Amino acid sequence: MKLVVVESPAKAKTIEKYLGGGYRVLASYGHVRDLPPKDGSVDPDNGFAMEWEAYADKARQLKAITDEAKKADALILATDPDREGEAISWHVQEVLQKKKALPAEVQRVTFNAITKSAVTEAMQRPRALDEDLIDAYRARRALDYLVGFTLSPVLWRKLPGAKSAGRVQSVALRLIVDREREIEVFKPQEYWSVAATMEADGTEFLARLVRFRGEKLDRLSIGNQGTAEAAKQAVEAGRFTVNSVETKPLTRNPPPPFTTSTLQQEAARKLGFSASHTMRVAQGLYEDGAITYMRTDGVDMAPEAISAARRAVVERYDAGYVPDQPRRYQTKAKNAQEAHEAIRPTDFSRSHAGSGDHARLYDLIWKRALASQMASARLERTTVELTDGTGQTALRATGQVVLFPGFMALYEEGRDDEQDEESRRLPRLGVGDAPAKKSVHAEQHFTQPPPRYSEASLVKKMEELGIGRPSTYASILQTLKDRDYVTLEKNRFIPQESGRLLTAFLERFFERYVSYDFTAGLEDSLDEISGGREQWQKVLEAFWRDFKPKTAEIMEQKPSDITAALDDFLAPFLFPDKADGSDPRLCPACGEGRLALRGGRFGAFVACSNYPDCKFTRRFAQGGEEGAADTGPEILGQHPETGQDISRKTGRFGPYIEMGEGKEAKRASIPKDAGELDLDLAVKLLSLPRTVGMHPESGKEITASIGRYGPYLAHDGKYAKLGSTSEVFETGMNAAVVKLAEAAAGGGRGRGASREPLKVLGPHPRTEAEIKLMEGRFGPYVTDGTTNATLPKSIQPDMLTLEEAAQLIDERAARAPAKKGRKAPAKKKAPAKNAAAAKKKG
């Protein structure tokens, strides 16, 4: 028997079906080991030796692989055909070797598509593990670890509130922040355009003013309304005839098939997918055998695929839509070792695959790949110039006609910017013709700042600069969102205050390591390792030699010195010049002190130099934008029973009220729906929880209160959600009993049936079932109402994303049938999970 190891259960199931008897296919469920998150996992003083540790939640998979390996005649490592796939195979081999379970024969096979022919052919061409790719993986992993575990402690001690920094993520964040700075300093410039609506042969067309008073105009030439009105009058008064007609043929060639980055960009433009969602959906299509491997820098297709695409074009259209010679595309990837075939369908006769998002992404991939082997589009671009009798004023109209659509009949590439006007059609015009003038209008415009990055344009920019690699873009962007360094508004990245502060810190104290050129150069060195042209320890040594002393130098500086340096560095952002010329640092509260950046327990803020006499503070925000200021505690009055002052304050998590001081102080958050806060409401909030009464059946107390997830009722360990803050104080006994009964009846998980979810993550991308994060008896878990999946210890509940939750549920659902069939006798091995499974089954 031969043991085959792959990454996912879906892939394992398909491959085992293709191989038949004599093979046992098991899934590792991704990486099985990693560097443990502690000091010393990488030892720079010992040749960058690494201490690997198996994931706790992969113990069951590793045991199954080990047990089968002991009985196998050969081990076939069939993980994905890239650096990460090579690394997973290497880790599995290393684990089996340590457990003395490694078969005598070990083979590595790769295939670019999960089809029967591709898999069986790959089995005939085994090879050894690629040591160069493994070295490149180790170098990247060690670099990321050394940057994270050396730089993060510096951040925590010198920059309160900062969460982490990464080798590539910090540079991607700098791109977003730099673009925001460009927008902030941008000064809009007024300009006007003048155009006439003309008509010939019943067809209207637009002609723009290009010459006025004998001078050629560019976009910004008309800078005020007066000039625009004069130009408009000149056009209205003139009689325009066609002075010239210029027609130029135009050929447009199809774009190449998708690479990883172009797929992410186009899916963002046309489907609105995030990079991480695109890759997860593409992974599903790949594992279903619908497309080739989706992590690639290559743009060409295999000869047999090109032939199949050309046949499909002829069948769909006709022979005229196929070029005389097959199209071959050259990859721009710097590292040919990691470049594979482009992303394409495994079967061009299959125009549809999957459902929902899978079907939409497959349609995009199929059309792009098919269009890449179609004939060029032939167009005709026409430019018509019209002049008045004096020759001092001229109008220009442009249009475009598609003579032969070619590939455009199937596919047109999306664009990040707006379309131009040249796609409009013009009526047939000749020199001397005098089209009718229908109307003339002048429009005011202002120059626009550069647009914020979308996921598509940011991926494109990173690829242009050579920052990161396409296979890492999705995880980089997801990390920035998960850390709350950026937010997405209308699909555009906006840096948050924490992201601005982190970028400023790194630019001020670690400028070299967040520079675009240095990061791109380091990526090139890592590519050289995977090509066998560089030694991985030498690359790490060159980096570590300068980086370690730099972090030690910054660690020696006082936090106050760090804050003072950042105050100066961020002055244009925090204290921009005022229109009236007054001092932007002058305290608006006392009128005497000067504002400066300060570091606090929960992050940076701006405060008055006259503290504690003046308690004015504001959030770390540009120029003290509205809502950022806090003039200090506000006394609402005295408690009617204790006589103590009740104050309204602002803390890390928003506004709250406080009565008393020190450890004895009583506090309560102010709900967003509380309305206007007065002393009466403050007293009520401080009195919570409120006792509603004794339950008529159990005789136990029912209370109403406000918790982390909103207002609720509680009774005997069970809970029911309330609709608003006012209901906490108004709900009576009858209503409370009904709400608790309804909450209990709506569950199905016994004691925890009525519990509120910790978080509603959203609909599952494939099944559209709502995914919730719940607190269970044995820890947090996610559920879609059908399948429950425990969160691995490696995932923090507050950092969990919808994509990760969906993957956990899918993996748990894929394991469920096998668990029922094979694992029933071994109940004592995992009592918690078996108990939960039995409970669910009941």
Side-chain angles (χ1 to χ4, degrees):
M1 185 270 293
K2 293 184 178 181
L3 173 63
V4 182
V5 176
V6 296
E7 294 95 335
S8 74
K11 187 175 174 181
K13 186 177 180 181
T14 305
I15 290 173
E16 193 164 53
K17 180 177 66 178
Y18 291 153
L19 295 177
Y23 290 90
R24 180 81 173 94
V25 185
L26 293 179
S28 69
Y29 289 85
H31 277 282
V32 295
R33 298 194 307 177
D34 197 7
L35 298 170
K38 63 180 183 180
D39 288 335
S41 294
V42 177
D43 186 358
D45 299 326
N46 188 23
F48 296 93
M50 300 184 204
E51 175 191 316
W52 302 97
E53 183 180 274
Y55 288 121
D57 57 342
K58 296 297 174 67
R60 185 168 54 194
Q61 284 80 27
L62 282 175
K63 184 179 185 305
I65 291 171
T66 303
D67 291 344
E68 292 293 335
K70 289 176 180 177
K71 301 180 286 185
D73 303 318
L75 172 66
I76 301 174
L77 300 165
T79 49
D80 289 340
D82 61 359
R83 183 182 62 247
E84 292 301 310
E86 207 73 18
I88 292 171
S89 287
W90 174 70
H91 279 305
V92 170
Q93 178 179 285
E94 290 283 299
V95 169
L96 293 178
Q97 199 163 24
K98 284 187 176 181
K99 294 186 175 183
K100 297 181 180 179
L102 190 68
E105 185 181 359
V106 179
Q107 299 175 344
R108 172 79 169 112
V109 300
T110 58
F111 32 83
N112 199 41
I114 305 178
T115 60
K116 187 169 185 178
S117 59
V119 172
T120 51
E121 285 175 20
M123 291 295 172
Q124 307 304 314
R125 300 191 307 274
R127 61 168 173 83
L129 284 171
D130 189 324
E131 293 296 332
D132 293 332
L133 280 184
I134 294 167
D135 286 347
Y137 161 78
R138 287 193 284 197
R140 286 177 182 274
R141 192 66 197 88
L143 262 178
D144 292 340
Y145 171 88
L146 290 171
V147 170
F149 272 82
T150 309
L151 192 53
S152 292
V154 178
L155 293 175
W156 299 334
R157 294 176 193 176
K158 308 300 180 184
L159 197 68
K163 296 178 180 177
S164 68
R167 181 177 62 86
V168 180
Q169 94 186 31
S170 298
V171 185
L173 177 60
R174 182 184 174 182
L175 276 171
I176 296 170
V177 171
D178 280 352
R179 176 56 56 88
E180 198 69 17
R181 289 173 183 155
E182 291 178 54
I183 294 170
E184 288 164 358
V185 301
F186 181 83
K187 303 294 183 188
Q189 183 178 345
E190 179 186 8
Y191 70 97
W192 291 72
S193 64
V194 178
T197 301
M198 314 290 282
E199 183 181 19
D201 297 332
T203 302
E204 289 190 355
F205 62 95
L206 194 70
R208 294 196 173 276
L209 180 66
V210 293
R211 188 162 68 244
F212 177 52
R213 294 172 180 167
E215 293 184 6
K216 184 180 178 181
L217 302 179
D218 60 28
R219 190 170 68 113
L220 302 178
S221 294
I222 303 177
N224 57 68
Q225 186 175 5
T227 307
E229 287 298 327
K232 178 184 175 184
Q233 291 171 11
V235 175
E236 287 174 333
R239 180 181 182 276
F240 289 85
T241 58
V242 176
N243 184 53
S244 66
V245 178
E246 185 180 3
T247 301
K248 288 183 179 180
L250 182 68
T251 301
R252 189 176 294 174
N253 296 320
F258 283 127
T259 62
T260 301
S261 65
T262 55
L263 176 64
Q264 291 173 2
Q265 292 170 46
E266 195 74 339
R269 295 186 195 108
K270 291 191 171 181
L271 306 179
F273 289 1
S274 67
S276 56
H277 184 59
T278 297
M279 295 312 293
R280 191 162 52 78
V281 173
Q283 178 86 33
L285 289 171
Y286 166 67
E287 291 176 353
D288 289 342
I291 63 170
T292 55
Y293 191 54
M294 66 288 162
R295 291 187 179 90
T296 174
D297 295 323
V299 291
D300 205 5
M301 298 193 298
E304 61 271 19
I306 292 175
S307 299
R310 288 169 65 86
R311 286 195 301 272
V313 171
V314 172
E315 290 172 6
R316 187 178 179 89
Y317 299 99
D318 59 51
Y321 280 81
V322 177
D324 294 337
Q325 297 295 324
R327 294 186 183 276
R328 304 307 299 257
Y329 297 92
Q330 288 292 110
T331 181
K332 295 179 182 178
K334 298 177 182 178
N335 185 12
Q337 182 84 9
E338 292 184 50
H340 304 289
E341 192 181 356
I343 304 170
R344 62 167 177 85
T346 55
D347 181 2
F348 278 97
S349 66
R350 184 182 181 188
S351 60
H352 298 88
S355 60
D357 286 353
H358 288 70
R360 296 170 69 199
L361 190 66
Y362 179 83
D363 181 68
L364 201 63
I365 293 168
W366 181 80
K367 286 180 176 176
R368 173 90 167 215
L370 198 64
S372 73
Q373 289 302 318
M374 292 177 69
S376 302
R378 296 197 306 275
L379 304 94
E380 188 177 78
R381 180 173 294 166
T382 303
T383 304
V384 178
E385 189 159 302
L386 305 99
T387 57
D388 65 356
T390 66
Q392 296 292 297
T393 309
L395 303 173
R396 181 178 297 155
T398 56
Q400 194 167 274
V401 177
V402 177
L403 302 177
F404 172 66
F407 77 93
M408 289 170 58
L410 179 66
Y411 177 85
E412 278 197 69
E413 191 171 23
R415 292 168 53 155
D416 291 316
D417 53 355
E418 294 181 2
Q419 299 285 342
D420 56 32
E421 297 175 358
E422 293 185 351
S423 58
R424 294 174 176 160
R425 298 199 64 156
L426 291 178
R428 188 171 294 279
L429 294 168
V431 175
D433 289 351
K437 186 166 51 188
K438 304 285 286 184
S439 63
V440 182
H441 53 274
E443 288 186 35
Q444 183 187 36
H445 310 274
F446 290 92
T447 53
Q448 296 297 310
R452 292 185 173 108
Y453 285 112
S454 63
E455 288 214 4
S457 58
L458 184 59
V459 165
K460 185 177 181 180
K461 185 66 175 179
M462 291 172 69
E463 189 173 35
E464 287 174 359
L465 295 174
I467 296 170
R469 285 297 176 258
S471 59
T472 64
Y473 292 154
S475 60
I476 290 168
L477 301 188
Q478 192 62 48
T479 299
L480 293 179
K481 290 184 281 188
D482 291 345
R483 297 283 184 271
D484 292 325
Y485 290 146
V486 299
T487 57
L488 268 178
E489 289 185 18
K490 297 181 180 178
N491 291 322
R492 298 282 172 172
F493 283 110
I494 300 176
Q496 295 300 285
E497 295 167 10
S498 57
R500 296 282 305 238
L501 186 62
L502 173 62
T503 300
F505 176 82
L506 295 174
E507 282 187 277
R508 175 61 181 80
F509 297 103
F510 293 91
E511 200 281 331
R512 180 189 182 199
Y513 301 100
V514 288
S515 72
Y516 304 137
D517 291 342
F518 176 82
T519 306
L522 191 55
E523 289 291 343
D524 290 342
S525 297
L526 292 168
D527 285 346
E528 292 294 296
I529 295 171
S530 61
R533 297 176 293 275
E534 280 271 17
Q535 209 276 332
W536 69 280
Q537 283 104 334
K538 288 183 179 179
V539 172
L540 291 177
E541 177 60 39
F543 174 84
W544 187 246
R545 187 169 52 242
D546 298 325
F547 183 71
K548 177 60 176 175
K550 183 66 177 176
T551 55
E553 173 195 330
I554 304 304
M555 189 65 94
E556 291 299 317
Q557 294 193 31
K558 296 178 181 177
S560 58
D561 294 338
I562 298 283
T563 304
L566 289 176
D567 177 81
D568 183 61
F569 186 84
L570 288 164
F573 169 68
L574 295 173
F575 313 107
D577 293 335
K578 292 190 173 183
D580 59 4
S582 60
D583 184 1
R585 286 183 180 263
L586 186 66
C587 177
C590 69
E592 297 177 359
R594 286 178 58 76
L595 302 180
L597 185 69
R598 294 285 183 265
R601 181 181 173 190
F602 302 117
F605 62 97
V606 173
C608 178
S609 59
N610 278 347
Y611 179 84
D613 294 333
C614 177
K615 292 183 170 60
F616 176 85
T617 62
R618 76 167 190 242
R619 291 186 295 106
F620 177 89
Q622 184 186 18
E625 60 188 36
E626 191 175 346
D630 176 24
T631 55
E634 174 192 353
I635 297 178
L636 299 172
Q638 287 72 43
H639 194 284
E641 296 176 7
T642 66
Q644 292 178 297
D645 286 346
I646 298 177
S647 303
R648 181 190 186 281
K649 296 185 175 182
T650 300
R652 182 187 179 191
F653 301 109
Y656 67 97
I657 50 175
E658 180 181 85
M659 180 177 69
E661 295 180 357
K663 293 181 179 180
E664 303 300 321
K666 192 167 185 179
R667 300 178 181 88
S669 295
I670 302 173
K672 291 182 179 179
D673 66 342
E676 186 177 347
L677 181 69
D678 56 18
L679 181 61
D680 289 342
L681 179 58
V683 171
K684 286 182 179 180
L685 291 171
L686 289 169
S687 68
L688 294 177
R690 163 181 165 255
T691 300
V692 178
M694 298 300 175
H695 195 287
E697 295 177 6
S698 68
K700 294 183 178 179
E701 193 175 65
I702 300 175
T703 59
S705 190
I706 301 171
R708 183 180 176 188
Y709 303 105
Y712 67 94
L713 291 168
H715 165 254
D716 194 21
K718 297 182 180 180
Y719 305 89
K721 188 175 181 180
L722 292 174
S724 65
T725 298
S726 60
E727 289 187 24
V728 174
F729 305 107
E730 296 169 0
T731 300
M733 176 61 73
N734 292 338
V737 171
V738 171
K739 284 181 180 291
L740 286 165
E742 288 174 348
R749 280 177 43 84
R751 188 172 177 267
S754 58
R755 288 179 183 168
E756 287 296 311
L758 298 178
K759 189 177 182 183
V760 176
L761 297 166
H764 193 296
R766 284 192 291 282
T767 66
E768 297 186 358
E770 189 174 67
I771 297 180
K772 299 176 182 178
L773 174 65
M774 307 292 290
E775 183 64 54
R777 182 181 175 190
F778 303 105
Y781 66 95
V782 288
T783 181
D784 63 354
T786 303
T787 303
N788 301 338
T790 302
L791 256 63
K793 291 182 179 179
S794 57
I795 297 179
Q796 293 295 322
D798 57 343
M799 307 304 291
L800 181 71
T801 64
L802 175 62
E803 288 85 356
E804 289 172 333
Q807 186 175 355
L808 289 170
I809 287 171
D810 290 348
E811 290 176 354
R812 181 66 185 84
R815 294 200 303 268
K819 181 177 177 182
K820 288 178 184 176
R822 297 201 312 270
K823 297 288 183 180
K827 287 186 178 179
K828 64 179 182 179
K829 189 71 178 176
K833 290 187 178 180
N834 285 334
K839 198 173 197 179
K840 182 180 171 188
K841 184 176 179 182

